[in-house]
Amino acid sequence: MNGPDSLPPLREVIAAHDLSARKSLGQNFLLDLNLTGKIARQAGDLTGCDVLEIGPGPGGLTRGLLENGARRVLAIEKDARCLPALAEIAVAYPGRLNVIEGDALDINPLQHLSAPIRIAANLPYNVGTELLVRWLTPPDWPPFWQSLTLMFQREVAERIVATPGSKAYGRLALLAQWRCDARIAMHLPPGAFTPPPKVSSAVVHLTALPEPKFPANPKVLERTVARAFNQRRKMLRAALKGVAPDIEDRLIAAGIKPTDRAETVGLEQFCALARLLES
Ligand code: SAM
């Protein structure tokens, strides 16, 4: 049976273009178009939006995004083998799909996109985390995108939405929740993917807030939080030793006990500490 868009089923696309999954590119494909449509709907109302998709592969999520009304999809794919399959989707949706071959970590997509912009992707874990941190830490806010709808390993998704005191709480939670509303939108078992990965996955949806919840310099906040959680079991006066000669005084001024551990300190205190460290 063809998909809702009258393009062939993804299994046929993969067979026709010989797209055997490559581990080195983190290729675990989503072949169920009902599922990719559901993920696309988690990205919000796409009508009138440009969508940046990283790693379209054979195009399951791409088709979901187009079917759900995206004005245009800009897709960046590293694997040139996927381009003919994506070209067929571009023909079915004239003028609405633009594909760039390359590494998303090296490409600045901005010149190809017009606001409002949403981002959606099912990416390999390490590339996904690196891109997420880049998207969350531009010098100015609001960013070029309105929302991020991203597939992660379940543990990474839990780190993004974690609250203080939990094991998963750390740098990702603080950076994400400082400037965004973040929630887990869907859980997916390994069997949803071809081939199935070893771990479960989850889709995280982040909406950019008009301004950060508390003022802070993004670079200083990122550095401080990274350092604080690098040795998360240590007291902060030890973990942040050498960051400033009077670190204990600054911790106290930020409302943090020097004997506290990073995992118990909230966003507001970390932002206050970042402001004190910047001055
Ligand atoms: N979106 C497709 C799906 O859901 O079936 C494919 C998902 S697969 C997990 C990840 C995709 O990202 C693959 O197509 C892979 O080739 C691509 N990819 C991996 N690293 C990339 C990078 N650095 N830049 C762009 N694409 C990348």
Side-chain angles (χ1 to χ4, degrees), residues 191-226:
F193 301 84
T194 304
K198 289 202 174 70
V199 292
S200 295
S201 302
V203 175
V204 180
H205 184 73
L206 299 106
T207 313
L209 296 169
E211 52 186 70
K213 286 179 191 151
F214 308 101
N217 175 312
K219 283 269 160 292
V220 181
L221 181 65
E222 198 187 340
R223 263 204 312 269
T224 308
V225 164

PDB file of all heavy atoms in Angstrom, residues 191-226:
ATOM      1  N   GLY A 191      11.830  -1.411  18.519  1.00  0.00           N
ATOM      2  CA  GLY A 191      11.195  -2.038  17.357  1.00  0.00           C
ATOM      3  C   GLY A 191      10.550  -1.049  16.394  1.00  0.00           C
ATOM      4  O   GLY A 191      10.153  -1.439  15.288  1.00  0.00           O
ATOM      5  N   ALA A 192      10.466   0.226  16.771  1.00  0.00           N
ATOM      6  CA  ALA A 192       9.892   1.226  15.852  1.00  0.00           C
ATOM      7  C   ALA A 192      10.870   1.556  14.723  1.00  0.00           C
ATOM      8  O   ALA A 192      10.490   2.189  13.739  1.00  0.00           O
ATOM      9  CB  ALA A 192       9.543   2.501  16.636  1.00  0.00           C
ATOM     10  N   PHE A 193      12.137   1.135  14.893  1.00  0.00           N
ATOM     11  CA  PHE A 193      13.184   1.519  13.939  1.00  0.00           C
ATOM     12  C   PHE A 193      13.687   0.300  13.165  1.00  0.00           C
ATOM     13  O   PHE A 193      13.632  -0.822  13.647  1.00  0.00           O
ATOM     14  CB  PHE A 193      14.390   2.128  14.681  1.00  0.00           C
ATOM     15  CG  PHE A 193      14.042   3.346  15.493  1.00  0.00           C
ATOM     16  CD1 PHE A 193      13.535   3.231  16.781  1.00  0.00           C
ATOM     17  CD2 PHE A 193      14.215   4.630  14.971  1.00  0.00           C
ATOM     18  CE1 PHE A 193      13.208   4.346  17.534  1.00  0.00           C
ATOM     19  CE2 PHE A 193      13.898   5.745  15.719  1.00  0.00           C
ATOM     20  CZ  PHE A 193      13.386   5.603  16.997  1.00  0.00           C
ATOM     21  N   THR A 194      14.214   0.564  11.978  1.00  0.00           N
ATOM     22  CA  THR A 194      14.844  -0.481  11.166  1.00  0.00           C
ATOM     23  C   THR A 194      16.264  -0.040  10.801  1.00  0.00           C
ATOM     24  O   THR A 194      16.405   0.993  10.139  1.00  0.00           O
ATOM     25  CB  THR A 194      14.060  -0.714   9.855  1.00  0.00           C
ATOM     26  OG1 THR A 194      12.700  -1.019  10.210  1.00  0.00           O
ATOM     27  CG2 THR A 194      14.655  -1.860   9.068  1.00  0.00           C
ATOM     28  N   PRO A 195      17.298  -0.766  11.234  1.00  0.00           N
ATOM     29  CA  PRO A 195      17.270  -1.850  12.212  1.00  0.00           C
ATOM     30  C   PRO A 195      16.988  -1.295  13.604  1.00  0.00           C
ATOM     31  O   PRO A 195      17.247  -0.103  13.849  1.00  0.00           O
ATOM     32  CB  PRO A 195      18.700  -2.413  12.120  1.00  0.00           C
ATOM     33  CG  PRO A 195      19.541  -1.242  11.710  1.00  0.00           C
ATOM     34  CD  PRO A 195      18.677  -0.420  10.794  1.00  0.00           C
ATOM     35  N   PRO A 196      16.503  -2.150  14.530  1.00  0.00           N
ATOM     36  CA  PRO A 196      16.219  -1.641  15.883  1.00  0.00           C
ATOM     37  C   PRO A 196      17.511  -1.320  16.636  1.00  0.00           C
ATOM     38  O   PRO A 196      18.437  -2.137  16.614  1.00  0.00           O
ATOM     39  CB  PRO A 196      15.467  -2.795  16.561  1.00  0.00           C
ATOM     40  CG  PRO A 196      15.608  -3.966  15.662  1.00  0.00           C
ATOM     41  CD  PRO A 196      16.136  -3.536  14.333  1.00  0.00           C
ATOM     42  N   PRO A 197      17.591  -0.150  17.268  1.00  0.00           N
ATOM     43  CA  PRO A 197      18.777   0.149  18.097  1.00  0.00           C
ATOM     44  C   PRO A 197      18.716  -0.653  19.399  1.00  0.00           C
ATOM     45  O   PRO A 197      17.699  -1.301  19.662  1.00  0.00           O
ATOM     46  CB  PRO A 197      18.626   1.652  18.369  1.00  0.00           C
ATOM     47  CG  PRO A 197      17.171   1.928  18.234  1.00  0.00           C
ATOM     48  CD  PRO A 197      16.611   0.929  17.272  1.00  0.00           C
ATOM     49  N   LYS A 198      19.776  -0.582  20.205  1.00  0.00           N
ATOM     50  CA  LYS A 198      19.795  -1.357  21.461  1.00  0.00           C
ATOM     51  C   LYS A 198      18.927  -0.707  22.539  1.00  0.00           C
ATOM     52  O   LYS A 198      18.531  -1.350  23.486  1.00  0.00           O
ATOM     53  CB  LYS A 198      21.238  -1.460  21.974  1.00  0.00           C
ATOM     54  CG  LYS A 198      22.102  -2.373  21.111  1.00  0.00           C
ATOM     55  CD  LYS A 198      23.309  -2.884  21.888  1.00  0.00           C
ATOM     56  CE  LYS A 198      24.090  -3.898  21.088  1.00  0.00           C
ATOM     57  NZ  LYS A 198      24.784  -3.273  19.944  1.00  0.00           N
ATOM     58  N   VAL A 199      18.660   0.612  22.379  1.00  0.00           N
ATOM     59  CA  VAL A 199      18.001   1.355  23.462  1.00  0.00           C
ATOM     60  C   VAL A 199      16.662   1.934  22.992  1.00  0.00           C
ATOM     61  O   VAL A 199      16.419   2.038  21.789  1.00  0.00           O
ATOM     62  CB  VAL A 199      18.908   2.517  23.935  1.00  0.00           C
ATOM     63  CG1 VAL A 199      20.144   1.992  24.618  1.00  0.00           C
ATOM     64  CG2 VAL A 199      19.293   3.409  22.759  1.00  0.00           C
ATOM     65  N   SER A 200      15.839   2.321  23.978  1.00  0.00           N
ATOM     66  CA  SER A 200      14.578   2.993  23.656  1.00  0.00           C
ATOM     67  C   SER A 200      14.855   4.445  23.287  1.00  0.00           C
ATOM     68  O   SER A 200      15.907   4.998  23.619  1.00  0.00           O
ATOM     69  CB  SER A 200      13.647   2.976  24.859  1.00  0.00           C
ATOM     70  OG  SER A 200      13.282   1.670  25.144  1.00  0.00           O
ATOM     71  N   SER A 201      13.885   5.067  22.626  1.00  0.00           N
ATOM     72  CA  SER A 201      14.052   6.464  22.202  1.00  0.00           C
ATOM     73  C   SER A 201      12.868   7.295  22.670  1.00  0.00           C
ATOM     74  O   SER A 201      11.844   6.750  23.103  1.00  0.00           O
ATOM     75  CB  SER A 201      14.126   6.538  20.673  1.00  0.00           C
ATOM     76  OG  SER A 201      15.189   5.751  20.199  1.00  0.00           O
ATOM     77  N   ALA A 202      13.021   8.595  22.574  1.00  0.00           N
ATOM     78  CA  ALA A 202      11.913   9.496  22.918  1.00  0.00           C
ATOM     79  C   ALA A 202      12.038  10.764  22.084  1.00  0.00           C
ATOM     80  O   ALA A 202      13.141  11.176  21.722  1.00  0.00           O
ATOM     81  CB  ALA A 202      11.945   9.831  24.404  1.00  0.00           C
ATOM     82  N   VAL A 203      10.879  11.336  21.774  1.00  0.00           N
ATOM     83  CA  VAL A 203      10.857  12.613  21.053  1.00  0.00           C
ATOM     84  C   VAL A 203      10.699  13.718  22.085  1.00  0.00           C
ATOM     85  O   VAL A 203       9.790  13.669  22.922  1.00  0.00           O
ATOM     86  CB  VAL A 203       9.668  12.656  20.060  1.00  0.00           C
ATOM     87  CG1 VAL A 203       9.561  14.025  19.408  1.00  0.00           C
ATOM     88  CG2 VAL A 203       9.811  11.565  19.011  1.00  0.00           C
ATOM     89  N   VAL A 204      11.597  14.695  22.024  1.00  0.00           N
ATOM     90  CA  VAL A 204      11.518  15.846  22.926  1.00  0.00           C
ATOM     91  C   VAL A 204      11.037  17.050  22.119  1.00  0.00           C
ATOM     92  O   VAL A 204      11.500  17.260  20.988  1.00  0.00           O
ATOM     93  CB  VAL A 204      12.899  16.157  23.539  1.00  0.00           C
ATOM     94  CG1 VAL A 204      12.813  17.349  24.483  1.00  0.00           C
ATOM     95  CG2 VAL A 204      13.414  14.959  24.282  1.00  0.00           C
ATOM     96  N   HIS A 205      10.108  17.796  22.690  1.00  0.00           N
ATOM     97  CA  HIS A 205       9.638  19.015  22.023  1.00  0.00           C
ATOM     98  C   HIS A 205      10.032  20.213  22.892  1.00  0.00           C
ATOM     99  O   HIS A 205       9.663  20.285  24.066  1.00  0.00           O
ATOM    100  CB  HIS A 205       8.125  18.962  21.828  1.00  0.00           C
ATOM    101  CG  HIS A 205       7.591  20.137  21.074  1.00  0.00           C
ATOM    102  ND1 HIS A 205       7.791  20.295  19.712  1.00  0.00           N
ATOM    103  CD2 HIS A 205       6.905  21.230  21.481  1.00  0.00           C
ATOM    104  CE1 HIS A 205       7.228  21.429  19.324  1.00  0.00           C
ATOM    105  NE2 HIS A 205       6.687  22.011  20.377  1.00  0.00           N
ATOM    106  N   LEU A 206      10.788  21.127  22.289  1.00  0.00           N
ATOM    107  CA  LEU A 206      11.206  22.330  23.015  1.00  0.00           C
ATOM    108  C   LEU A 206      10.653  23.553  22.298  1.00  0.00           C
ATOM    109  O   LEU A 206      10.780  23.670  21.069  1.00  0.00           O
ATOM    110  CB  LEU A 206      12.734  22.444  23.053  1.00  0.00           C
ATOM    111  CG  LEU A 206      13.479  21.310  23.751  1.00  0.00           C
ATOM    112  CD1 LEU A 206      14.166  20.421  22.740  1.00  0.00           C
ATOM    113  CD2 LEU A 206      14.510  21.876  24.714  1.00  0.00           C
ATOM    114  N   THR A 207      10.028  24.440  23.065  1.00  0.00           N
ATOM    115  CA  THR A 207       9.501  25.676  22.490  1.00  0.00           C
ATOM    116  C   THR A 207      10.338  26.828  23.018  1.00  0.00           C
ATOM    117  O   THR A 207      10.523  26.949  24.241  1.00  0.00           O
ATOM    118  CB  THR A 207       8.035  25.896  22.939  1.00  0.00           C
ATOM    119  OG1 THR A 207       7.338  24.675  22.752  1.00  0.00           O
ATOM    120  CG2 THR A 207       7.373  26.994  22.145  1.00  0.00           C
ATOM    121  N   ALA A 208      10.841  27.660  22.111  1.00  0.00           N
ATOM    122  CA  ALA A 208      11.686  28.781  22.543  1.00  0.00           C
ATOM    123  C   ALA A 208      10.833  29.806  23.294  1.00  0.00           C
ATOM    124  O   ALA A 208       9.775  30.214  22.809  1.00  0.00           O
ATOM    125  CB  ALA A 208      12.337  29.433  21.323  1.00  0.00           C
ATOM    126  N   LEU A 209      11.282  30.206  24.489  1.00  0.00           N
ATOM    127  CA  LEU A 209      10.592  31.266  25.234  1.00  0.00           C
ATOM    128  C   LEU A 209      10.972  32.612  24.615  1.00  0.00           C
ATOM    129  O   LEU A 209      12.048  32.733  24.018  1.00  0.00           O
ATOM    130  CB  LEU A 209      11.030  31.229  26.700  1.00  0.00           C
ATOM    131  CG  LEU A 209      10.642  29.959  27.467  1.00  0.00           C
ATOM    132  CD1 LEU A 209      11.355  29.903  28.811  1.00  0.00           C
ATOM    133  CD2 LEU A 209       9.136  29.898  27.650  1.00  0.00           C
ATOM    134  N   PRO A 210      10.119  33.635  24.762  1.00  0.00           N
ATOM    135  CA  PRO A 210      10.481  34.948  24.195  1.00  0.00           C
ATOM    136  C   PRO A 210      11.782  35.475  24.798  1.00  0.00           C
ATOM    137  O   PRO A 210      12.572  36.128  24.130  1.00  0.00           O
ATOM    138  CB  PRO A 210       9.303  35.851  24.567  1.00  0.00           C
ATOM    139  CG  PRO A 210       8.226  34.958  25.082  1.00  0.00           C
ATOM    140  CD  PRO A 210       8.801  33.620  25.393  1.00  0.00           C
ATOM    141  N   GLU A 211      12.003  35.179  26.088  1.00  0.00           N
ATOM    142  CA  GLU A 211      13.298  35.544  26.695  1.00  0.00           C
ATOM    143  C   GLU A 211      13.667  34.500  27.751  1.00  0.00           C
ATOM    144  O   GLU A 211      12.787  33.790  28.258  1.00  0.00           O
ATOM    145  CB  GLU A 211      13.268  36.938  27.303  1.00  0.00           C
ATOM    146  CG  GLU A 211      12.143  37.186  28.253  1.00  0.00           C
ATOM    147  CD  GLU A 211      12.117  38.645  28.681  1.00  0.00           C
ATOM    148  OE1 GLU A 211      11.792  39.493  27.833  1.00  0.00           O
ATOM    149  OE2 GLU A 211      12.427  38.897  29.853  1.00  0.00           O
ATOM    150  N   PRO A 212      14.979  34.397  28.100  1.00  0.00           N
ATOM    151  CA  PRO A 212      15.377  33.393  29.099  1.00  0.00           C
ATOM    152  C   PRO A 212      14.646  33.617  30.417  1.00  0.00           C
ATOM    153  O   PRO A 212      14.243  34.741  30.731  1.00  0.00           O
ATOM    154  CB  PRO A 212      16.875  33.652  29.277  1.00  0.00           C
ATOM    155  CG  PRO A 212      17.305  34.400  28.067  1.00  0.00           C
ATOM    156  CD  PRO A 212      16.120  35.173  27.593  1.00  0.00           C
ATOM    157  N   LYS A 213      14.508  32.546  31.190  1.00  0.00           N
ATOM    158  CA  LYS A 213      13.779  32.675  32.464  1.00  0.00           C
ATOM    159  C   LYS A 213      14.512  33.601  33.441  1.00  0.00           C
ATOM    160  O   LYS A 213      13.881  34.302  34.224  1.00  0.00           O
ATOM    161  CB  LYS A 213      13.592  31.293  33.095  1.00  0.00           C
ATOM    162  CG  LYS A 213      12.524  30.473  32.356  1.00  0.00           C
ATOM    163  CD  LYS A 213      12.349  29.104  32.972  1.00  0.00           C
ATOM    164  CE  LYS A 213      11.494  28.229  32.066  1.00  0.00           C
ATOM    165  NZ  LYS A 213      11.798  26.810  32.171  1.00  0.00           N
ATOM    166  N   PHE A 214      15.853  33.600  33.413  1.00  0.00           N
ATOM    167  CA  PHE A 214      16.658  34.484  34.273  1.00  0.00           C
ATOM    168  C   PHE A 214      17.816  35.013  33.442  1.00  0.00           C
ATOM    169  O   PHE A 214      18.359  34.284  32.616  1.00  0.00           O
ATOM    170  CB  PHE A 214      17.208  33.712  35.486  1.00  0.00           C
ATOM    171  CG  PHE A 214      16.143  32.980  36.244  1.00  0.00           C
ATOM    172  CD1 PHE A 214      15.968  31.611  36.064  1.00  0.00           C
ATOM    173  CD2 PHE A 214      15.297  33.647  37.111  1.00  0.00           C
ATOM    174  CE1 PHE A 214      14.963  30.925  36.734  1.00  0.00           C
ATOM    175  CE2 PHE A 214      14.288  32.973  37.793  1.00  0.00           C
ATOM    176  CZ  PHE A 214      14.125  31.614  37.593  1.00  0.00           C
ATOM    177  N   PRO A 215      18.231  36.273  33.662  1.00  0.00           N
ATOM    178  CA  PRO A 215      19.339  36.787  32.857  1.00  0.00           C
ATOM    179  C   PRO A 215      20.657  36.076  33.169  1.00  0.00           C
ATOM    180  O   PRO A 215      20.920  35.732  34.326  1.00  0.00           O
ATOM    181  CB  PRO A 215      19.414  38.275  33.253  1.00  0.00           C
ATOM    182  CG  PRO A 215      18.574  38.436  34.468  1.00  0.00           C
ATOM    183  CD  PRO A 215      17.672  37.252  34.594  1.00  0.00           C
ATOM    184  N   ALA A 216      21.452  35.845  32.152  1.00  0.00           N
ATOM    185  CA  ALA A 216      22.817  35.300  32.308  1.00  0.00           C
ATOM    186  C   ALA A 216      23.487  35.339  30.948  1.00  0.00           C
ATOM    187  O   ALA A 216      22.822  35.303  29.913  1.00  0.00           O
ATOM    188  CB  ALA A 216      22.787  33.864  32.828  1.00  0.00           C
ATOM    189  N   ASN A 217      24.823  35.408  30.960  1.00  0.00           N
ATOM    190  CA  ASN A 217      25.586  35.306  29.713  1.00  0.00           C
ATOM    191  C   ASN A 217      25.662  33.812  29.325  1.00  0.00           C
ATOM    192  O   ASN A 217      26.114  32.996  30.119  1.00  0.00           O
ATOM    193  CB  ASN A 217      26.985  35.885  29.961  1.00  0.00           C
ATOM    194  CG  ASN A 217      27.895  35.722  28.758  1.00  0.00           C
ATOM    195  OD1 ASN A 217      27.989  34.645  28.175  1.00  0.00           O
ATOM    196  ND2 ASN A 217      28.568  36.790  28.401  1.00  0.00           N
ATOM    197  N   PRO A 218      25.206  33.456  28.109  1.00  0.00           N
ATOM    198  CA  PRO A 218      25.137  32.033  27.763  1.00  0.00           C
ATOM    199  C   PRO A 218      26.468  31.305  27.873  1.00  0.00           C
ATOM    200  O   PRO A 218      26.522  30.172  28.349  1.00  0.00           O
ATOM    201  CB  PRO A 218      24.633  32.022  26.314  1.00  0.00           C
ATOM    202  CG  PRO A 218      24.503  33.426  25.870  1.00  0.00           C
ATOM    203  CD  PRO A 218      24.706  34.334  27.046  1.00  0.00           C
ATOM    204  N   LYS A 219      27.549  31.966  27.468  1.00  0.00           N
ATOM    205  CA  LYS A 219      28.862  31.296  27.512  1.00  0.00           C
ATOM    206  C   LYS A 219      29.267  31.029  28.959  1.00  0.00           C
ATOM    207  O   LYS A 219      29.760  29.960  29.295  1.00  0.00           O
ATOM    208  CB  LYS A 219      29.927  32.171  26.842  1.00  0.00           C
ATOM    209  CG  LYS A 219      29.868  32.146  25.331  1.00  0.00           C
ATOM    210  CD  LYS A 219      30.761  31.038  24.772  1.00  0.00           C
ATOM    211  CE  LYS A 219      30.444  30.617  23.368  1.00  0.00           C
ATOM    212  NZ  LYS A 219      29.184  29.919  23.129  1.00  0.00           N
ATOM    213  N   VAL A 220      29.066  32.061  29.820  1.00  0.00           N
ATOM    214  CA  VAL A 220      29.484  31.913  31.223  1.00  0.00           C
ATOM    215  C   VAL A 220      28.616  30.851  31.907  1.00  0.00           C
ATOM    216  O   VAL A 220      29.114  29.995  32.648  1.00  0.00           O
ATOM    217  CB  VAL A 220      29.382  33.269  31.971  1.00  0.00           C
ATOM    218  CG1 VAL A 220      29.827  33.114  33.416  1.00  0.00           C
ATOM    219  CG2 VAL A 220      30.210  34.333  31.263  1.00  0.00           C
ATOM    220  N   LEU A 221      27.316  30.883  31.616  1.00  0.00           N
ATOM    221  CA  LEU A 221      26.416  29.889  32.219  1.00  0.00           C
ATOM    222  C   LEU A 221      26.820  28.478  31.766  1.00  0.00           C
ATOM    223  O   LEU A 221      26.929  27.553  32.583  1.00  0.00           O
ATOM    224  CB  LEU A 221      24.966  30.180  31.818  1.00  0.00           C
ATOM    225  CG  LEU A 221      23.933  29.210  32.401  1.00  0.00           C
ATOM    226  CD1 LEU A 221      23.870  29.310  33.924  1.00  0.00           C
ATOM    227  CD2 LEU A 221      22.538  29.470  31.816  1.00  0.00           C
ATOM    228  N   GLU A 222      27.071  28.328  30.472  1.00  0.00           N
ATOM    229  CA  GLU A 222      27.423  27.011  29.939  1.00  0.00           C
ATOM    230  C   GLU A 222      28.705  26.489  30.597  1.00  0.00           C
ATOM    231  O   GLU A 222      28.775  25.338  31.031  1.00  0.00           O
ATOM    232  CB  GLU A 222      27.606  27.132  28.419  1.00  0.00           C
ATOM    233  CG  GLU A 222      27.544  25.814  27.711  1.00  0.00           C
ATOM    234  CD  GLU A 222      27.890  25.937  26.222  1.00  0.00           C
ATOM    235  OE1 GLU A 222      27.811  27.046  25.660  1.00  0.00           O
ATOM    236  OE2 GLU A 222      28.245  24.911  25.646  1.00  0.00           O
ATOM    237  N   ARG A 223      29.709  27.376  30.686  1.00  0.00           N
ATOM    238  CA  ARG A 223      30.999  26.975  31.280  1.00  0.00           C
ATOM    239  C   ARG A 223      30.833  26.601  32.754  1.00  0.00           C
ATOM    240  O   ARG A 223      31.369  25.609  33.226  1.00  0.00           O
ATOM    241  CB  ARG A 223      31.985  28.147  31.181  1.00  0.00           C
ATOM    242  CG  ARG A 223      32.922  28.084  29.989  1.00  0.00           C
ATOM    243  CD  ARG A 223      34.197  28.874  30.218  1.00  0.00           C
ATOM    244  NE  ARG A 223      33.987  30.208  30.742  1.00  0.00           N
ATOM    245  CZ  ARG A 223      33.841  31.312  30.010  1.00  0.00           C
ATOM    246  NH1 ARG A 223      33.880  31.230  28.690  1.00  0.00           N
ATOM    247  NH2 ARG A 223      33.667  32.497  30.558  1.00  0.00           N
ATOM    248  N   THR A 224      30.060  27.430  33.470  1.00  0.00           N
ATOM    249  CA  THR A 224      29.902  27.217  34.911  1.00  0.00           C
ATOM    250  C   THR A 224      29.190  25.888  35.176  1.00  0.00           C
ATOM    251  O   THR A 224      29.600  25.089  36.023  1.00  0.00           O
ATOM    252  CB  THR A 224      29.067  28.378  35.521  1.00  0.00           C
ATOM    253  OG1 THR A 224      29.651  29.605  35.122  1.00  0.00           O
ATOM    254  CG2 THR A 224      29.009  28.293  37.025  1.00  0.00           C
ATOM    255  N   VAL A 225      28.129  25.674  34.416  1.00  0.00           N
ATOM    256  CA  VAL A 225      27.333  24.467  34.619  1.00  0.00           C
ATOM    257  C   VAL A 225      28.147  23.228  34.227  1.00  0.00           C
ATOM    258  O   VAL A 225      28.135  22.204  34.925  1.00  0.00           O
ATOM    259  CB  VAL A 225      26.036  24.597  33.788  1.00  0.00           C
ATOM    260  CG1 VAL A 225      25.355  23.274  33.628  1.00  0.00           C
ATOM    261  CG2 VAL A 225      25.101  25.606  34.441  1.00  0.00           C
ATOM    262  N   ALA A 226      28.892  23.327  33.121  1.00  0.00           N
ATOM    263  CA  ALA A 226      29.707  22.183  32.680  1.00  0.00           C
ATOM    264  C   ALA A 226      30.712  21.826  33.772  1.00  0.00           C
ATOM    265  O   ALA A 226      30.898  20.660  34.126  1.00  0.00           O
ATOM    266  CB  ALA A 226      30.422  22.527  31.375  1.00  0.00           C
TER     267      ALA A 226
END
